[in-house]
């Protein structure tokens, strides 16, 4: 029989205490390393936020080249492996910058928008639907915007169809419950896209789809809560009703257009939103002119010309020569019809 040799009773029990001390030391070292990594990570995130804020300010000032440099400097701080979300969002913000550049540089708009689309697409290598759904669908929404603007720049119908697909994808996530603002904005943009498609294809069904999307957006964009957004949708609705009048119910659709433009003008004033005010006034003039072709010729032409003259208070030949000429042409057309 094998027996263990007993420890002498008088021997101090030092090993368990020694092991405990070593264990505590290991935990302290591990904890220090963990907190050290956490502190460094937080510092990096703070640097990223600072650069993003700086780039955002530069974009607001119209200094897009400097903004892109700020975004590019973020890539020197992080890797896509350790910071996948931030890495992807940095590409997304670069896409935003290029998209904004297209609005200020119409001559190169198509090129800027294609750069924007490339940046958005590249961001999706790191921002996946499974891990970051909110950010993923935010990129889908922005891709819809970029393709809709690209269509306006080069009038390629495939761009319009692609924009609709991206908006539909974004709308599968952004419900009223998840984010009412995104929900309403996407519906408004889908209304714009379907309007364009309907006018290109002479398709009344597309225009009816546009009407449904605009009405959905107004579930959120109410005049008492989101007045400016409400007015924008009302102006879009007015144009849609005028376009729908070509397919039937002419008088009703024109009268609906007049109502919609007047709804917008309850919000837009010459002092608060001069360009929007003048645009809605010009559109209202068009609606009154169309109605004059059906009834009360002289009275409705007078209303049309009165509205056009209101638009000219903003669209002066010095500041807005193209818009000025357009309104003058509308006035001449109205008087010529008498």
């Amino acid at each position: 029989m094998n027996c263990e040799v007993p420890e002498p009773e008088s021997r101090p029990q030092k090993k368990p205490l020694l092991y405990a001390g070593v264990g505590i030391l290991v935990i302290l070292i591990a904890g220090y390393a963990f907190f050290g990594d956490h502190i460094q990570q937080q510092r990096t995130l703070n640097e990223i936020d600072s650069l993003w804020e700086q780039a955002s300010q530069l974009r607001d000032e119209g200094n897009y080249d400097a903004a892109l440099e700020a975004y590019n400097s973020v890539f020197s701080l992080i890797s896509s492996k350790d910071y996948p979300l931030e890495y992807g969002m940095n590409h997304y913000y670069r896409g935003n910058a290029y998209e904004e550049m297209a609005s200020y540089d119409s001559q190169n708009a198509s090129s800027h928008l294609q750069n924007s689309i490339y940046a958005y697409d590249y961001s999706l290598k790191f921002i996946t639907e499974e891990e970051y759904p909110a950010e993923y669908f935010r990129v889908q929404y922005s891709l819809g915007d970029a393709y809709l603007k690209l269509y306006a720049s080069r009038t390629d119908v495939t761009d319009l169809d692609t924009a609709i697909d991206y908006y539909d994808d974004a709308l599968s996530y952004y419900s009223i419950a998840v984010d009412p603002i995104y929900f309403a904005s996407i519906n408004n943009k889908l209304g714009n896209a379907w309007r364009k498609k309907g006018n290109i294809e002479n398709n009344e069904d597309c225009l009816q789809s546009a009407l449904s999307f605009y009405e959905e957006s107004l579930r959120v964009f109410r005049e008492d809560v989101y007045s400016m957004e409400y007015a924008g949708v009302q102006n879009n609705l007015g144009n849609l009703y005028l376009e729908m009048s070509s397919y039937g119910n002419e008088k009703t659709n024109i009268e609906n257009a007049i109502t919609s433009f007047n709804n917008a003008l309850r919000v837009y004033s010459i002092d608060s939103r001069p360009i929007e005010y003048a645009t809605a006034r010009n559109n209202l003039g068009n609606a009154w002119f169309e109605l004059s072709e059906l009834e009360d010729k002289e009275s409705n032409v007078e209303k049309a010309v009165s509205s056009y003259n209101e638009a000219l208070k903003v669209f002066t030949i010095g500041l807005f020569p193209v818009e000025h000429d357009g309104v003058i042409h509308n006035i001449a057309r109205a008087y010529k019809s008498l």
Side-chain angles (χ1 to χ4, degrees):
M1 173 184 240
N2 294 323
C3 297
E4 294 182 1
V5 178
E7 289 284 345
E9 290 182 2
S10 60
R11 184 173 178 177
Q13 302 294 311
K14 290 185 179 179
K15 280 190 178 181
L17 191 59
L18 176 62
Y19 293 152
V22 171
I24 292 169
L25 183 60
V26 169
I27 292 171
L28 288 173
I29 292 172
Y32 179 80
F34 171 80
F35 285 113
D37 289 345
H38 176 74
I39 291 169
Q40 182 56 49
Q41 183 184 53
Q42 194 56 53
R43 285 175 179 168
T44 301
L45 292 174
N46 289 340
E47 286 185 68
I48 294 170
D49 285 340
S50 178
L51 285 167
W52 281 349
E53 185 176 345
Q54 176 187 341
S56 179
Q57 184 175 347
L58 289 166
R59 282 165 53 188
D60 289 341
E61 296 168 358
N63 193 347
Y64 293 106
D65 290 336
L68 288 169
E69 287 180 12
Y71 288 130
N72 289 336
S73 66
V74 171
F75 293 125
S76 66
L77 298 176
I78 58 175
S79 69
S80 59
K81 179 181 177 181
D82 294 331
Y83 297 87
L85 178 59
E86 289 76 15
Y87 200 88
M89 289 302 295
N90 201 53
H91 278 290
Y92 170 75
Y93 293 138
R94 290 179 71 252
N96 288 165
Y98 279 117
E99 189 177 337
E100 289 171 9
M101 287 172 72
S103 300
Y104 290 94
D105 182 13
S106 57
Q107 188 173 357
N108 299 299
S110 180
S111 176
H112 293 318
L113 289 167
Q114 288 178 74
N115 285 336
S116 172
I117 289 166
Y118 178 81
Y120 290 147
D121 279 333
Y122 202 80
S123 75
L124 294 175
K125 293 179 179 292
F126 315 101
I127 302 172
T128 63
E129 180 180 355
E130 295 75 19
E131 290 186 89
Y132 310 108
E135 290 80 4
Y136 173 85
F137 286 105
R138 186 172 161 192
V139 178
Q140 301 296 300
Y141 169 76
S142 294
L143 277 164
D145 279 354
Y147 273 104
L148 189 59
K149 292 174 182 176
L150 188 60
Y151 164 75
S153 176
R154 64 185 190 183
T155 62
D156 184 338
V157 179
T158 60
D159 293 332
L160 190 57
D161 291 331
T162 303
I164 289 172
D165 288 341
Y166 277 118
Y167 285 138
D168 282 338
D169 198 20
L171 201 57
S172 70
Y173 175 81
Y174 287 114
S175 63
I176 285 183
V178 170
D179 193 311
I181 301 299
Y182 268 102
F183 170 85
S185 181
I186 294 167
N187 272 287
N188 183 43
K189 300 289 181 62
L190 275 167
N192 292 340
W194 280 106
R195 262 187 62 215
K196 294 178 188 295
K197 187 174 177 65
N199 290 323
I200 292 166
E201 300 177 356
N202 294 316
N203 189 327
E204 185 182 7
D205 290 338
C206 291
L207 298 182
Q208 288 290 344
S209 294
L211 178 60
S212 296
F213 284 115
Y214 286 143
E215 288 174 341
E216 277 295 289
S217 71
L218 289 173
R219 292 174 61 194
V220 176
F221 289 157
R222 302 191 306 275
E223 183 179 3
D224 59 332
V225 183
Y226 300 104
S227 59
M228 290 301 169
E229 291 79 3
Y230 166 86
V233 178
Q234 289 294 335
N235 187 65
N236 291 339
L237 268 173
N239 286 323
L240 174 63
Y241 280 124
L242 281 183
E243 292 154 3
M244 291 175 66
S245 69
S246 301
Y247 296 91
N249 299 317
E250 192 171 4
K251 181 181 175 182
T252 299
N253 280 319
I254 293 171
E255 288 174 340
N256 285 339
I258 290 171
T259 298
S260 295
F261 292 133
N262 278 323
N263 287 341
L265 287 166
R266 287 207 306 265
V267 177
Y268 296 146
S269 72
I270 197 168
D271 295 321
S272 66
R273 293 280 178 158
I275 294 175
E276 291 86 347
Y277 172 83
T279 301
R281 277 292 181 182
N282 181 60
N283 292 340
L284 180 59
N286 291 339
W288 281 116
F289 174 74
E290 293 297 331
L291 191 60
S292 77
E293 298 288 275
L294 301 180
E295 62 183 30
D296 301 330
K297 168 66 75 175
E298 290 187 11
S299 173
N300 287 329
V301 164
E302 283 183 18
K303 291 176 183 176
V305 171
S306 175
S307 197
Y308 290 141
N309 282 327
E310 279 294 309
L312 287 177
K313 291 179 180 179
V314 176
F315 291 153
T316 62
I317 192 169
L319 294 177
F320 300 96
V322 174
E323 291 79 2
H324 177 85
D325 287 349
V327 178
I328 292 296
H329 170 79
N330 288 341
I331 292 174
R333 178 190 61 171
Y335 279 132
K336 189 176 179 180
S337 72
L338 292 174

